[in-house]
Amino acid sequence: MCGIIGYTGYGDASEIITSGLHLLEYRGYDSAGMTICTDSGLMTVKTEGRVSELEKKVKSKQFKNAFCGIGHTRWATHGEPSEKNAHPHGTGNVMLVHNGIIENCAELRQMLKKHGYRFDSDTDTQAAAYMLDLEYKEEKDSIKAIADLIKHLKGSYAFGIIFADEPDTIYSVKKDSPLLIGIGENENFIASDISAFINHTKKYIRLCDGEIARITKSDIEVYGTGGKRLFKDIETADIGAVELEKKGFEHYMLKEIYEQPEAVRKTIRFLSNGNMPDTRYFKDIEVFHITACGTAMHAGLIGKYFIENFARVPVYTELAGEFRYKNPILSKNDIVALISQSGETADTLAALRLVNSRNIKTLSIVNTDGSAIARESDNVIYTKAGTEIAVASTKAFTVQVAAMLLTALKTAEAKEKMTKGEADSIIGYIYNNIERSLLSVFHSDTIEKASEIISARHDVFFIGRGYDNYLGMEGSLKLKEISYIHSEAYAAGELKHGTISLIEKGTPVIAIATDELYYDKIKNNIEEVKSRGGYIISVCPENAEKIKEVSDTAILIPNDDKPLRPFSAAAAIQLLAYHTAKKLGKDIDKPRNLAKSVTVE
Ligand code: F6R
């Protein structure tokens, strides 16, 4: 949530910050701004809306000799998206950008008003900026002022700060929000994420909570608590320049849906080459706990199905935002698996820290190298989706499902419920056939037809049994996120316990029925809906005659052996959401109110 970038060097700071903000826009895109240091002093430009709007404004200013600056793209927490609430905030002495939430901003505002400060924004950030101004006036020392500022703050923050007295220097401090310092030649950076400076340098320092950094074009100083100078490890990112090409696709989301076969194969290849814990690790596990948020949780629920089904080990699942506050019951032979694409989701990270404090094994399934969740877990299973730019997650979800399947099979082997040969043949089948299977879904023309029906309605329901129930949850989330059509997902047998009262003539009900085990049961549930006027769109294998005959429209997936069906059905529901949103003319890659990385709880 919110992206920060800062630059100091010989390059054009306004251009470098603008391109960095484009790369950070996935973190929030309701408003943007930057403060640039030029020979004529600090200049601030802000706008409501996208970075492209900011870019136009910045270009029109034609800054001369812009050698340093800080920029921000916002996901609103306090105050509506507007120019006045956009960052940077501050005074003639100091400007700052912020990612996080200042929880005690109301008290700070009251206190600062008594010192004569007038607030012209609704943000929590302005309180932090004024507090820093006040401290700086007293201390006349930047580092001391920042150290004093953070003593006043409750909540989470990563700040990029510029003092008017030191216009070539960026200061930074963080707590519970990510902040990296990029090291270039005669230029240095700060950013919320490596991607913002990867086109300039792969070398970076990771700032830790409470550390204060002072950055000029030629020097980086980091101070620990008590003002002690620290010499931090320099890390090298192993990602390439971020691909911003859509490669002929109309949207990133569509491109990423089409990248799924390769992403799943890459993940399987990587994990099968010794990059995940072996069977010994899983041998003594008595109970699995899985926690995550949103789409990652849906992958976790499918993981629960796999682990219970293949390994016969009980699995408890809990959303991370609940898990972290519920005093979970954990025993010494339990393991807690945490799933996260970004590796920095605030609730998932807090859940991890809670488990770590209890000395219970943690295993994270993460897509982002070196992210906080990966670093703080005992063991990491890296998924290999690559960068996902569309806010709605697609390929990151399918690789999480693949990783959960591999985890389930390893556990099954460890528990002697399956031989290595049996496990390998399931994985091998997926590896060799996923491309063919998903291609047939990509070429389906019924998906677009079904999306026409959905796009004309206000309410949609998903039903399914077993793992299809969880795929329904994911399909429902995707549809809501990008088409803004209200949708709910139910276990198929549960609909009649209340929600069926909402079914009226023509209400679309998407029945995901990919497991023959449940055909007879879900067929009955479909009949129940049909007799109340519901319009059935099913997602089922080509040979699922029982389902097809009760469907108004059937989206067919290949008859492939069962292991591939969750993947092909996932692609079908993603495309259904995509085409529905497209028909409605929505902003598919950047849906309203959302951000890709949720670093506030
Ligand atoms: C939905 C989506 C979100 C994320 C959730 C967790 O398309 O992307 O629901 O899955 O915010 O994010 P990560 O996986 O980064 O922890």
Side-chain angles (χ1 to χ4, degrees):
M1 317 238 105
C2 297
I4 290 179
I5 174 153
Y7 173 80
T8 173
Y10 291 111
D12 181 328
S14 64
E15 264 180 46
I16 291 168
I17 288 173
T18 305
S19 57
L21 287 178
H22 278 298
L23 292 161
L24 289 172
E25 211 169 13
Y26 73 90
R27 303 179 73 89
Y29 37 80
D30 59 44
S31 50
M34 66 173 80
T35 292
I36 296 294
C37 311
T38 70
D39 291 343
S40 347
L42 302 194
M43 309 279 200
T44 295
V45 189
K46 302 188 197 192
T47 185
E48 183 182 340
R50 302 286 160 87
V51 172
S52 51
E53 294 303 312
L54 182 72
E55 186 169 10
K56 282 185 216 150
K57 274 193 167 180
V58 169
K59 277 200 174 130
S60 73
K61 301 269 177 205
Q62 295 190 320
F63 292 127
K64 296 253 166 8
N65 194 12
F67 49 84
C68 179
I70 46 175
H72 188 265
T73 178
R74 178 169 184 252
W75 184 86
T77 59
H78 288 62
E80 56 172 20
S82 64
E83 191 171 321
K84 73 169 182 178
N85 288 332
H87 302 203
H89 289 285
T91 64
N93 295 325
V94 61
M95 294 297 289
L96 62 75
V97 287
H98 169 217
N99 170 25
I101 290 188
I102 307 302
E103 287 166 4
N104 58 334
C105 69
E107 296 104 87
L108 290 178
R109 275 174 166 254
Q110 287 227 323
M111 188 261 269
L112 288 159
K113 279 182 190 161
K114 287 185 193 142
H115 281 86
Y117 287 95
R118 290 181 44 169
F119 286 84
D120 55 8
S121 87
D122 311 312
T123 62
D124 51 339
T125 304
Q126 199 173 19
Y130 285 173
M131 196 68 232
L132 182 57
D133 183 78
L134 183 65
E135 294 294 354
Y136 185 67
K137 277 185 196 147
E138 283 170 15
E139 296 281 2
K140 286 282 171 223
D141 178 305
S142 319
I143 299 269
K144 275 193 190 149
I146 294 170
D148 286 344
L149 163 72
I150 62 177
K151 287 184 199 147
H152 291 282
L153 303 182
K154 288 199 184 120
S156 60
Y157 49 81
F159 291 122
I161 302 166
I162 288 185
F163 292 92
D165 292 341
E166 298 169 77
D168 61 345
T169 307
I170 300 169
Y171 287 87
S172 195
V173 65
K174 72 162 283 266
K175 178 177 164 271
D176 291 340
S177 290
L179 202 287
L180 305 172
I181 303 168
I183 309 167
E185 273 183 31
N186 291 320
E187 58 181 10
N188 289 312
F189 304 79
I190 59 161
S192 308
D193 172 352
I194 296 166
S195 65
F197 55 69
I198 197 75
N199 297 334
H200 301 270
T201 179
K202 291 190 171 206
K203 290 206 167 74
Y204 66 96
I205 289 172
R206 201 177 283 285
L207 203 61
C208 294
D209 285 359
E211 293 172 355
I212 299 174
R214 180 179 185 279
I215 301 143
T216 62
K217 60 178 175 298
S218 52
D219 200 14
I220 295 168
E221 295 162 14
V222 179
Y223 297 93
T225 25
K228 187 168 178 286
R229 174 89 192 258
L230 304 174
F231 294 90
K232 307 263 303 176
D233 287 345
I234 295 176
E235 299 179 45
T236 306
D238 80 344
I239 60 165
V242 175
E243 281 236 21
L244 280 176
E245 296 294 311
K246 287 197 190 129
K247 300 215 167 123
F249 288 94
E250 198 175 341
H251 297 97
Y252 287 113
M253 180 175 177
L254 191 61
K255 170 176 168 276
E256 287 158 10
I257 290 173
Y258 273 66
E259 282 170 351
Q260 290 180 110
E262 188 44 32
V264 169
R265 283 163 62 95
K266 225 171 155 181
T267 301
I268 292 178
R269 215 160 43 230
F270 178 73
L271 297 182
S272 306
N273 280 338
N275 292 310
M276 70 178 284
D278 63 20
T279 46
R280 278 169 299 182
Y281 180 80
F282 297 102
K283 184 120 197 93
D284 298 324
I285 291 172
E286 284 169 12
V287 172
F288 261 90
H289 301 260
I290 299 177
T291 186
C293 300
T295 286
M297 188 66 212
H298 299 149
L301 287 162
I302 297 173
K304 168 185 165 74
Y305 177 89
F306 289 151
I307 294 167
E308 289 184 340
N309 208 44
F310 291 123
R312 308 301 298 155
V313 175
V315 183
Y316 294 99
T317 53
E318 189 83 63
L319 291 166
E322 292 296 309
F323 185 95
R324 62 179 294 190
Y325 289 118
K326 67 173 277 203
N327 190 10
I329 302 166
L330 303 169
S331 308
K332 84 171 174 6
N333 285 342
D334 292 3
I335 184 167
V336 180
L338 304 106
I339 309 174
S340 177
Q341 186 283 127
S342 62
E344 60 174 56
T345 300
D347 282 326
T348 314
L349 181 58
L352 169 64
R353 288 179 176 163
L354 170 73
V355 180
N356 280 343
S357 73
R358 303 262 196 99
N359 278 327
I360 302 290
K361 261 191 198 169
T362 53
L363 173 67
S364 62
I365 293 94
V366 173
N367 196 50
T368 310
D369 273 12
S371 54
I373 293 175
R375 276 181 294 118
E376 295 184 30
S377 311
D378 301 333
N379 249 298
V380 190
I381 292 182
Y382 277 114
T383 52
K384 293 283 162 190
T387 310
E388 212 180 41
I389 292 178
V391 165
S393 189
T394 53
K395 59 177 180 169
F397 170 72
T398 41
V399 296
Q400 285 163 350
V401 171
M404 289 315 294
L405 178 61
L406 269 105
T407 304
L409 295 176
K410 272 272 183 287
T411 313
E413 266 184 67
K415 299 285 181 189
E416 293 172 11
K417 295 284 187 286
M418 196 179 258
T419 62
K420 180 162 174 8
E422 285 165 333
D424 285 350
S425 87
I426 294 175
I427 293 299
Y429 189 83
I430 292 176
Y431 187 84
N432 292 327
N433 293 285
I434 188 153
E435 177 134 29
R436 178 182 51 72
S437 187
L438 264 60
L439 275 181
S440 94
V441 176
F442 298 158
H443 294 144
S444 149
D445 53 3
T446 31
I447 298 183
E448 262 198 86
K449 284 188 201 137
S451 70
E452 223 152 83
I453 289 154
I454 296 172
S455 63
R457 307 292 301 199
H458 295 297
D459 299 292
V460 174
F461 296 89
F462 284 77
I463 56 173
R465 285 175 177 265
Y467 64 78
D468 285 335
N469 172 23
Y470 308 132
L471 281 172
M473 292 180 183
E474 177 57 9
S476 170
L477 180 64
K478 278 310 76 113
L479 188 68
K480 281 181 280 212
E481 274 184 289
I482 60 168
S483 75
Y484 317 147
I485 292 174
H486 167 252
S487 150
E488 290 180 41
Y490 278 88
E494 185 62 19
L495 205 67
K496 61 174 118 8
H497 294 284
T499 308
I500 203 163
S501 67
L502 296 174
I503 304 294
E504 49 190 44
K505 192 165 168 22
T507 305
V509 176
I510 297 147
I512 306 180
T514 69
D515 188 345
E516 49 272 77
L517 245 186
Y518 302 117
Y519 284 171
D520 287 330
K521 298 294 162 202
I522 196 159
K523 186 177 171 200
N524 292 340
N525 303 132
I526 290 175
E527 295 282 15
E528 289 157 9
V529 171
K530 268 176 89 79
S531 54
R532 280 145 187 101
Y535 183 93
I536 303 297
I537 299 166
S538 61
V539 177
C540 64
E542 283 150 0
N543 63 359
E545 297 306 330
K546 286 182 179 169
I547 304 299
K548 277 163 44 184
E549 67 194 25
V550 288
S551 305
D552 295 297
T553 300
I555 297 170
L556 301 179
I557 62 167
N559 291 329
D560 290 324
D561 286 356
K562 247 179 170 175
L564 268 174
R565 292 187 196 160
F567 298 95
S568 35
I573 52 166
Q574 292 163 351
L575 284 169
L576 196 58
Y578 173 81
H579 287 298
T580 306
K582 195 173 155 195
K583 286 212 160 56
L584 294 170
K586 302 299 183 206
D587 190 348
I588 293 181
D589 287 332
K590 293 197 179 78
R592 71 181 181 203
N593 301 342
L594 298 182
K596 194 156 187 70
S597 180
V598 185
T599 54
V600 293
E601 65 173 283

